[in-house]
Amino acid sequence: MTDLAEPGAITQTTRKDWTSDQEVRWCPGCGDYSILAAVQMLLPELGVRRENTVFLSGIGCAARFPYYMNTYGLHSIHGRAPAIATGLAATRPDLDVWVVTGDGDSLSIGGNHLIHALRRNINITILLFNNQIYGLTKGQYSPTSEVAKVTKSTPFGSLERPFNPLSLALGAEATFVARTHDMDRKHMMETFRRAHDHRGASFVEIYQNCNVFNDGAFAQITGKDNRGEMLIPLVHGEPIRYGPEGEHGVVLRADGSISLVEVADVDESDLLVHDEHRDNPGLAFQLSRLSRGPFEPTPIGVFRDVERAEYGAEMARQIEETTARKGPGDLRDLLRSGSSWTVS
Amino acid sequence: MTDTTTNHEPSRVLDRVVIRFAGDSGDGMQLAGDRFTTSSALLGNDLATLPDFPAEIRAPAGTLAGVSAFQVHISDHDILTPGDDPNVLVAMNPAALRANLPTLPPGATIIANVDAFDDRNLGKAGFAHNPLADGSLSAYTVYEVPMTSITTEVCKEAGVKPRDAERSKNFFALGLISWLYTRPLDPTVEWIEARFSSNPMVKEANLRALKAGFHFGETAELFESSYEVRPAPLEPGEYVNVTGNTAVAWGLIAASRVSGLPLFLGTYPITPASDILHELSKHKNFGVRTFQAEDEIAGVGAALGAAFGGALGVTTTSGPGLDLKAETIGLAVSLELPLVVVDIQRGGPSTGLPTKTEQGDLLHAMYGRHGEAPLPIVAASTPSHCFDVALEAVRLAVKYRTPVILLSDGYLANGTEPWRLPDVERLPRIDPDFATAPNHTRPDGTEELWPYQRDEATLARPWAPPGVAGLEHRIGGLEKSDGSGSVAYDGANHERMTRLRAAKIAGITADIPLVEVDDEQAGATVLVVGWGSTYGAIAAGVRRVRALGHQVAHAHLTHLNPFPPNLGDVLRSYRSVLVPEVNLGQLSRLLRAEYLVDVVSFTKVQGVPFRAAEIESAILHQVDAEARREEEAGAGWPASAGGEQ
């Protein structure tokens, strides 16, 4: 699959075409495998070119992802992938830039870059593998670990309150915010597709199981037998309902709060209708905090999808407009732009 | 406006003069100095400038901490420095006088804004008595000029309130000095009219103050005469007056043009580098993208990301920012991608002296990364040289696929000199030489790109930005297998890659000019070796020593890693080597380590450039020492006792 492809035509590809020749070295049973598979299966469906696709990462288990993709790839340094991606996306609007990161990489050491990439609405798709633990450094607590968590570095329990990644992203002015989990390939593929199609910064939190250092962190809500009662699928334009028979739902109370109800106890028209495109992120924020952790009914899907000017396109627009107004830059004139004088 | 050109006959012609404008940080001294410089440049003088301002935007008014000064040296001949000591000090208040008295030689002229010498300001400056009245300034020629009151008076007629009018007193001072040194006002008048076109009241106040100052000189009969400094015999050509930071910005734009690579600047504001961002952000019609990042790390990260995508990635910073960028620069060394890091050095460590100059980052540039992470370093010698060095940094970065550190400093950044414009058509091209085809065939006959398959001559690897089908590849900060670029942990490969990266940078020595030695009669025993912004002071010091009848040689380094190929031979061909630096001896350490030559380090770290006189005296000291040694050897001392063969 290394023939120079014809420019112009997008040839039909398969998962194999997007798979590099490198041996995948995650621990057996790691949730990362299913995420990799979902991405490799989705890409042939997107009608995009391998040569115009870049996977970029920082440091951590998730950050090995680019090596396994037969695309252009860059495995960078801890926490900085959003910054590096910013320079790439701002200069190469023709590329699909995917940033693969983890909860330590993007919420701890790289927190600053993450929030600013979201705020600027850089045209990148961020996949945050959240396993609530440090894996590559062998089992310390992370910024998403729960309070009192006992780990190698917190033998008496963690004292820190965790970040809620979606609340953080919404607070950072993100224009696309979604959540999915590693046990549902179809849901992942659908969520990644939406994230890819969004122009600007897309943020996807993926509940990902680390079977070595934090096994079963999400099992109470993502396990096959629990999902029906514990995952709340968000569907744009539909009342928010969940449960095997759709018997539970979400309502907006008079005081502005949202809460879970039994549909039988309320008028169906009282159920909150999900609106991804709502300009005000307030309701999306409330939904992002509906559950206090992966042990209560938790919404998944697209929380927010709004249109805003995309940074790289705006940068290009300023260049075009200035060039149209002033004419293309002339080096000779530039050097004379102060007061020049001639000595003869 | 024509009555303010020159309707009086200057009675005295000077070959050069050094003027220092000094006042509160809010007094507009930088502006007055800058406008005086422009008028002088247009008159054809050679010149050099030294802005000297505090880190605070508005330090408490009237205090020593708040004094802001601008020194300009104008002459009718080629000069190299902004002058050691001012001939004329314009002191807008007692603090400005007090702060600058130590550098004022006896016989100098002081023009004091007498209105500001009240008890309150005298107290703030720490004067127990008024120095204008107590005879303590008897060694100087002192002119007391009521600048504030005349300015407010002439502005009152235009309806400007006294408090606002007072702010125009810098233009009064400028007008007065313009008369004294026979500078035309027209360029400044035009500038004021353009600059303040949207604020007619301020425009009028400034114009009135400027002319009042000029007329005061003419009519007050305070001054015996005015002076003239005639044009310098500069080489024919078109000139502009340029700061180092502007020259860096223009050099980068030029490099973008000659390489065809779109320029991307990722940076974070920091003194004294921010002006490069300001300048580049204006020139979007050259396709320049400027990105003000969330921090220094993101600035260099974005620049590296742009380089991965095939752009000319540049970041600009000063010492504290270079600390933060170290990890990403190390990644660039490992990725072997072109990246230009511009470091405008300032006094350190830590926040140090943000607005003052220093050459303290040479060893940081050289060694400031973990692991074996060599990279090329180039340094600018003068403000206009920054243009050439920016082009050279880009050439090396692109050709050798490596980060390059360009060292400038606060003195070059804000200082100016006349620059004869180069012929832009003749700037050498820079070929990005992007990979266009696979370079490796697998056993099964399919082809692929091996990102670390090196060019045999340069050892550079292919640069293959995304977008080309068939060249998809993955690179990263983990050690890579020689050739294929796959992740590799084995020790033998790591050693091979470490040596290859080092050899690539070391090999650049064959691709840079020999160091030139200025040794007029080829008979000197003492060689002065400098780098960066000490050029002017060293060259001026060397001239003075020669004028005293001694021989001395001067070599100035632009390439600091690798060094020019002949440097070792040059060092060894002199009896002694003097290395002046504005740090505690960083180049001297490198020279000793590299060439085993016992160089003599001469250093100063006061946040200001060397004065020519300091260099002169250090050279004389060295010349004397050499002469004594020769005498002793000639007197028949046994060679073993003298240690000199």
Side-chain angles (χ1 to χ4, degrees), chain B residues 183-481:
Chain B
R183 315 277 106 170
L185 290 190
D186 292 352
T188 307
V189 168
E190 283 166 25
W191 183 86
I192 292 174
E193 282 174 343
R195 175 73 179 72
F196 300 102
S197 59
S198 60
N199 196 335
M201 198 70 107
V202 174
K203 181 178 83 176
E204 190 57 26
N206 287 341
L207 286 172
R208 281 170 177 260
L210 180 75
K211 289 177 204 166
F214 195 92
H215 293 141
F216 181 86
E218 208 165 33
T219 57
E221 295 190 356
L222 199 56
F223 303 94
E224 288 154 28
S225 67
S226 61
Y227 301 90
E228 185 180 5
V229 179
R230 294 195 169 140
L234 298 170
E235 269 191 70
E238 190 173 9
Y239 284 78
V240 296
N241 192 36
V242 73
T243 67
N245 275 350
T246 304
V248 168
W250 292 355
L252 292 170
I253 292 175
S256 163
R257 271 299 151 93
V258 299
S259 64
L261 298 170
L263 177 56
F264 179 90
L265 173 70
T267 189
Y268 186 76
I270 186 169
T271 304
S274 306
D275 279 342
I276 303 173
L277 164 63
H278 303 159
E279 179 64 25
L280 285 175
S281 65
K282 290 189 233 166
H283 301 299
K284 299 201 189 302
N285 59 330
F286 284 85
V288 177
R289 286 174 167 80
T290 55
F291 170 61
Q292 182 178 314
E294 59 271 22
D295 59 27
E296 296 278 359
I297 298 170
V300 66
L304 185 60
F308 179 75
L312 173 54
V314 178
T315 191
T316 50
T317 190
S318 187
L322 191 62
D323 293 350
L324 288 166
K325 294 181 197 296
E327 189 191 16
T328 308
I329 298 172
L331 175 64
V333 168
S334 178
L335 295 179
E336 302 191 42
L337 281 171
L339 175 71
V340 174
V341 179
V342 179
D343 174 22
I344 312 296
Q345 302 163 96
R346 67 189 214 189
S350 189
T351 311
L353 303 174
T355 60
K356 310 292 181 189
T357 197
E358 200 163 287
Q359 296 184 297
D361 298 352
L362 174 56
L363 293 182
H364 187 358
M366 190 76 188
Y367 298 121
R369 293 161 296 285
H370 67 277
E372 295 288 343
L375 50 73
I377 303 167
V378 290
S381 310
T382 70
S384 69
H385 191 227
C386 290
F387 180 86
D388 304 326
V389 172
L391 275 161
E392 175 66 355
V394 174
R395 180 185 78 89
L396 294 176
V398 170
K399 183 167 176 183
Y400 294 93
R401 322 302 202 204
T402 177
V404 175
I405 294 184
L406 187 169
L407 295 174
S408 171
D409 60 33
Y411 167 43
L412 297 180
N414 296 310
T416 61
E417 67 174 349
W419 175 39
R420 190 159 67 100
L421 296 179
D423 180 353
V424 297
E425 299 304 320
R426 303 184 68 167
L427 294 174
R429 306 286 110 187
I430 295 171
D431 181 7
D433 193 21
F434 289 126
T436 53
N439 59 4
H440 180 78
T441 308
R442 291 200 190 99
D444 68 1
T446 56
E447 293 188 308
E448 66 180 331
L449 180 85
W450 271 24
Y452 284 79
Q453 182 93 294
R454 294 169 192 278
D455 179 273
E456 282 179 20
T458 61
L459 297 181
R461 74 171 192 88
W463 187 10
V468 181
L471 302 189
E472 293 86 356
H473 65 282
R474 277 67 56 192
I475 55 177
L478 286 167
E479 184 61 281
K480 291 152 286 281
S481 186

Side-chain angles (χ1 to χ4, degrees), chain B residues 125-137:
Chain B
F127 283 116
H129 306 284
N130 187 346
L132 301 178
D134 68 3
S136 61
L137 301 176

Side-chain angles (χ1 to χ4, degrees), chain A residues 2 4 71-72 120 336 341, chain B residues 238-239 294 447 468-469 474:
Chain A
T2 51
L4 294 171
T71 63
Y72 285 87
R120 292 190 180 104
R336 285 199 196 113
W341 69 97
Chain B
E238 190 173 9
Y239 284 78
E294 59 271 22
E447 293 188 308
V468 181
R474 277 67 56 192

